[in-house]
Amino acid sequence: MMSRALYLVLIAVVAAAAAGATALLTNIFERKSEQRVPFLRVVEVGEDDTDPEKWGKNWPAEYDGYRRTSLLTKTRFGGHQGSEALPEEKIERDPWLKRMFAGYAFSIDYRDRRGHAYMLYDQEATKRLTKPQSGSCLHCHASIMPLYRELGGGDAMRGFEESFKLTYQDLNAKLHASGHGHPVSCVDCHDPEDMSLRVTRPGFVRGIQALAASDAPVPALNSIQVWRDGKRAVPYDPNRDASRNEMRSYVCGQCHVEYYCGTKMPLTFPWGSGLTADAVEAFWDGTKFPDGQPFADYVHTETGAQVLKAQHPEFELWTQGVHARSGVSCADCHMPYVREGATKISDHWVRSPLLNVNRACQTCHRTSEDELKARADVIQQRNNELLQRGGAAIVDLIDAVVAAKSRGVPAESLQDALRLQRRAQWRLDFIAAENSMGFHAPQEAARVLGEAIDYARQGQVAVLRAGEGTGAAGR
């Protein structure tokens, strides 16, 4: 006969097992519910809701990631880990940058990059604002679409076209007065109805339409080729024609690109001839301002060269690399998928893949983390060595032109040297301003930097030839 104590133990075991089974089934039910309903809409959000905190009530996991972009991060060649007030000055660390940008606001203040949370603050704090700046600059630093609609009487594209006429300070004051003084936010990449990805920036829409209408190769953007093969009855529309995977790069390409954002004409993405450094240069070379003057970002104060200033052409360089041609999007590496319970989401802590190798790289590359980091380091180290050689070459060219002018070499005799300065400087800046340190397309980056060095040295030869026969040849 079973003793009373054993009987009680048996009851306790059965009860514990039943409780465990119930908890397990409840957990499974909850996870399956999470899979069926990926988010719970507790507040309504719309096109004018630019505050990410409000969106965070419906999508807390994504919002948590977004907030982490305020954390300081650094890799060997990128990021920021200095003072929390402002990042370090790149132009102090690499003085050739300051020399190359003489006559342009970037010679005053040009700092290391940091997370998305700082994109508006850092722009408002830069000393570059001591020089005249256009309101166009807010296109990529603020959640600005409601303000574009306001400026355009409900038409965002019209408001966008008007924004370059306002100073940065005036448009920024309107931005804050309208209650939309936030960095680029949820509504800029997501449809508030269903959270689907979308492009909102007018600059990107016009740029990608011009690219589609050209004959430039686009091996990484298949939907453009599909559109070209079709009737072309209406312009290419990224929100209608792009694949879902392409959209995972397009939303980043709204801002991580080359563009003109000065005061002489509306903000322009220069993709009408293609996306390579050479194609973008050709586009700018063929562009004139509304007053008929040839396009240039600024005049170099030491040499008088009409030169170009690259912004941050990550999207363009990515299209030239093996990852793009393999169908790997920006988000795959910078916003890799993570599990939150039973739900799979994109990590909104946008950062260098080198800080997240396990999720960003090892889902495709079956290699150790140390090996993957070592491979990236080799690429970036070699890119940096070429950059520094290019910096030395461009300074030598500038020195040569300045010396020739001091010896009395006529300005018209130096035009070949100045044209070569423009070509060399553009290529050097295209890679220096790009935030992957050459990783997005290593061979293309090396090609561009090699050309930069070659053009700078050709420029020095042109200076010597300019002095021949003038009695001011010098050394």
Side-chain angles (χ1 to χ4, degrees):
M1 183 176 183
M2 183 181 293
S3 69
R4 179 179 176 81
L6 183 58
Y7 183 72
L8 291 174
V9 169
L10 181 60
I11 291 176
V13 169
V14 171
T22 301
L24 177 62
L25 290 173
T26 301
N27 184 270
I28 292 172
F29 176 78
E30 290 175 347
R31 295 293 179 262
K32 287 185 175 297
S33 297
E34 288 175 4
Q35 286 181 315
R36 287 195 298 270
V37 185
F39 61 86
L40 182 62
R41 189 181 289 270
V42 298
V43 296
E44 288 301 320
V45 292
E47 295 290 351
D48 289 334
D49 287 310
T50 55
D51 186 345
E53 185 174 357
K54 184 175 181 180
W55 289 63
K57 296 182 186 301
N58 294 336
W59 298 281
E62 287 85 348
Y63 179 57
D64 281 347
Y66 176 87
R67 289 195 303 166
R68 290 191 190 103
T69 63
S70 65
L71 299 178
L72 302 183
T73 61
K74 186 173 179 62
T75 62
R76 185 182 176 202
F77 292 102
H80 161 62
Q81 232 171 21
S83 162
E84 291 193 12
L86 281 173
E88 294 178 357
E89 287 278 16
K90 294 172 72 169
I91 53 176
E92 300 300 333
R93 191 170 59 236
D94 289 323
W96 58 268
L97 287 170
K98 182 182 290 188
R99 193 78 187 283
M100 190 170 75
F101 296 141
Y104 197 61
F106 274 71
S107 67
I108 301 171
D109 191 8
Y110 183 21
R111 298 174 182 273
D112 286 329
R113 58 269 191 183
R114 55 180 172 175
H116 281 177
Y118 289 104
M119 67 172 69
L120 182 58
Y121 173 84
D122 284 356
Q123 189 181 52
E124 291 170 338
T126 180
K127 296 175 185 175
R128 294 196 293 272
L129 293 179
T130 57
K131 298 292 185 182
Q133 301 287 332
S134 165
S136 290
C137 300
L138 285 166
H139 179 274
C140 291
H141 284 258
S143 199
I144 201 170
M145 293 308 295
L147 186 53
Y148 281 164
R149 289 192 287 273
E150 180 184 326
L151 290 174
D155 184 340
M157 189 61 80
R158 183 179 169 191
F160 160 73
E161 291 169 346
E162 292 296 313
S163 63
F164 85 99
K165 301 174 184 174
L166 298 173
T167 67
Y168 178 86
Q169 288 83 356
D170 286 347
L171 194 63
N172 183 264
K174 287 180 180 293
L175 178 78
H176 285 278
S178 65
H180 300 298
H182 302 288
V184 169
S185 166
C186 316
V187 72
D188 297 298
C189 300
H190 292 284
D191 187 321
E193 289 297 320
D194 57 12
M195 284 295 282
S196 59
L197 287 175
R198 65 174 182 177
V199 167
T200 57
R201 290 298 185 273
F204 182 90
V205 172
R206 287 191 168 176
I208 204 77
Q209 285 179 345
L211 175 66
S214 76
D215 295 324
V218 285
L221 306 174
N222 293 331
S223 68
I224 289 181
Q225 190 59 53
V226 171
W227 178 85
R228 288 174 176 173
D229 293 340
K231 296 180 179 178
R232 304 191 184 199
V234 293
Y236 177 83
D237 181 347
N239 290 316
R240 181 197 60 218
D241 298 321
S243 69
R244 181 179 177 279
N245 196 50
E246 286 172 337
M247 289 300 284
R248 287 168 58 78
S249 295
Y250 279 6
V251 292
C252 307
Q254 296 184 94
C255 297
H256 288 270
V257 293
E258 156 67 0
Y259 47 78
Y260 169 77
C261 63
T263 59
K264 293 185 177 180
M265 65 182 192
L267 183 143
T268 303
F269 284 24
W271 296 345
S273 299
L275 295 173
T276 64
D278 313 68
V280 174
E281 180 187 45
F283 179 90
W284 289 136
D285 286 348
T287 299
K288 291 185 181 298
F289 287 120
D291 62 6
Q293 292 296 310
F295 179 88
D297 281 294
Y298 67 101
V299 176
H300 197 278
T301 52
E302 294 188 66
T303 66
Q306 304 268 336
V307 286
L308 306 173
K309 170 69 186 80
Q311 303 306 319
H312 29 73
E314 283 85 61
F315 179 75
E316 290 92 336
L317 192 61
W318 164 80
T319 63
Q320 307 306 307
V322 67
H323 282 92
R325 295 185 74 126
S326 302
V328 179
S329 72
C330 305
D332 286 324
C333 303
H334 294 278
M335 303 175 67
Y337 289 115
V338 294
R339 282 280 178 189
E340 290 284 343
T343 306
K344 186 177 76 170
I345 67 169
S346 290
D347 187 350
H348 280 57
W349 185 7
V350 184
R351 53 182 163 154
S352 167
L354 294 176
L355 300 168
N356 196 16
V357 170
N358 176 259
R359 290 185 178 129
C361 311
Q362 290 182 306
T363 51
C364 296
H365 298 282
R366 303 302 182 188
T367 310
S368 73
E369 183 166 332
D370 287 344
E371 171 60 19
L372 290 170
K373 286 182 176 179
R375 292 179 188 179
D377 191 73
V378 166
I379 291 170
Q380 294 185 327
Q381 173 63 34
R382 290 173 178 171
N383 188 81
N384 185 57
E385 290 169 358
L386 282 172
L387 266 179
Q388 298 307 322
R389 284 174 176 259
I394 199 70
V395 169
D396 286 347
L397 173 55
I398 293 169
D399 283 343
V401 174
V402 170
K405 291 171 70 175
S406 69
R407 294 194 301 273
V409 176
E412 57 270 22
S413 299
L414 292 169
Q415 292 308 304
D416 283 346
L418 300 188
R419 280 192 289 272
L420 287 162
Q421 181 187 347
R422 175 175 165 125
R423 302 193 76 175
Q425 197 162 310
W426 164 249
R427 283 161 177 75
L428 189 58
D429 194 20
F430 193 90
I431 302 302
E434 202 272 339
N435 281 328
S436 77
M437 279 299 289
F439 183 82
H440 285 155
Q443 289 181 313
E444 172 68 356
R447 181 191 72 83
V448 173
L449 288 174
E451 288 188 357
I453 296 168
D454 180 52
Y455 283 133
R457 298 307 182 192
Q458 285 189 49
Q460 287 181 265
V461 173
V463 172
L464 292 173
R465 289 174 176 164
E468 293 174 355
T470 66
R475 289 187 299 168

